[in-house]
Amino acid sequence: MRGDGPMPYRVAIVTLDAHAAGPVARVGLRMADEFPGLEVSVHSAASWAETPEALEIARQAVAQADIVICGLLFIDEHIQAILLNLLDRRDNCDAMVGMVSDPAIVKLTKMGELDMAKPSSAAMQLMKKLRGSKSPSVSSGEKQMKMLRRLPKLLRYVPGKAQDLRAWFLCMQYWLGGSDDNFEGLLRHLIGRYSDRFETEAAAP
């Protein structure tokens, strides 16, 4: 017989390297009592070529995940290795978040009413503005970061679908923050908004 422990609630993070592994492990421990059954795993695409079993583990994690987070996926080899698995899971999980990645990954984002696979969406128009010019510079980068900080505050007052877009921008802020507190904020934010199992959400910055 199986144990009487809580059913697992799985979050799979697929990213370039293992930079998130340490913070996620620490955050997972301090969230364990409040979120019974929460399991968060980090999968480094940089390890797939030398360790094929790591890729298989990542694919299995995506297939079982309630929330999938993808970040820093730019290399075509990495994208093609996991893309079909992400597509298969996209419509069967609570949320899929693609950020700071190749457009093929970002377009997989599906959070509530926000579906970035729709090219004419307001989200994609804002993405183009955030991306800036084709010739990056220090000034254009500063403008993009300033917009990233301002948009969630502006979208707070726009009803409906814009709130899911705001949630996506907040995820980017948490991700780019990179600290233990930011990773915890990212998990709380997504679980609180898109999971029916837990009733909590981090305060929005």
Side-chain angles (χ1 to χ4, degrees):
M1 293 180 62
R2 297 183 62 182
D4 295 328
M7 288 288 291
Y9 189 88
R10 299 183 175 98
V11 179
I13 300 175
V14 184
T15 185
L16 175 63
D17 54 37
H19 75 282
V24 165
R26 293 187 292 271
V27 165
L29 288 174
R30 70 190 194 191
M31 293 176 69
D33 290 340
E34 188 178 349
F35 298 86
L38 178 63
E39 297 178 3
V40 188
S41 58
V42 178
H43 306 276
S44 168
S47 69
W48 295 345
E50 294 183 359
T51 315
E53 56 267 31
L55 172 57
E56 185 56 34
I57 291 171
R59 288 171 171 170
Q60 292 177 7
V62 167
Q64 297 176 338
D66 298 286
I67 293 176
V68 181
I69 302 170
C70 298
L72 300 177
L73 295 178
F74 295 102
I75 300 173
D76 188 62
E77 180 182 355
H78 297 160
I79 294 167
Q80 296 307 316
I82 200 73
L83 185 60
L84 290 179
N85 306 90
L86 295 170
L87 286 168
D88 285 344
R89 191 59 182 164
R90 187 172 185 263
D91 293 330
N92 298 295
C93 59
D94 291 339
M96 181 169 288
V97 187
M99 54 191 171
V100 197
S101 294
D102 184 270
I105 296 297
V106 174
K107 287 178 182 178
L108 295 175
T109 297
K110 193 171 184 181
M111 303 164 62
E113 296 185 37
L114 175 63
D115 185 347
M116 288 198 178
K118 298 177 180 177
S120 61
S121 67
M124 297 312 294
Q125 298 303 316
L126 278 172
M127 278 293 296
K128 290 178 181 178
K129 290 183 179 180
L130 185 62
R131 197 177 300 139
S133 68
K134 294 183 179 179
S135 301
S137 64
V138 172
S139 61
S140 66
E142 289 174 350
K143 289 178 181 177
Q144 291 173 36
M145 291 304 297
K146 186 179 293 185
M147 181 181 290
L148 177 59
R149 288 191 294 268
R150 291 183 58 196
L151 275 173
K153 296 177 182 178
L154 296 174
L155 292 170
R156 179 193 295 271
Y157 305 103
V158 182
K161 192 179 298 186
Q163 292 309 302
D164 290 310
L165 178 58
R166 176 175 181 267
W168 181 79
F169 277 107
L170 289 174
C171 286
M172 275 226 296
Q173 287 189 2
Y174 284 128
W175 179 268
L176 293 171
S179 67
D180 289 19
D181 288 343
N182 276 293
F183 275 106
E184 181 173 351
L186 173 63
L187 294 172
R188 286 180 175 274
H189 182 61
L190 286 171
I191 292 170
R193 185 171 179 86
Y194 298 107
S195 171
D196 293 332
R197 179 163 164 183
F198 304 105
E199 295 181 1
T200 185
E201 184 173 354

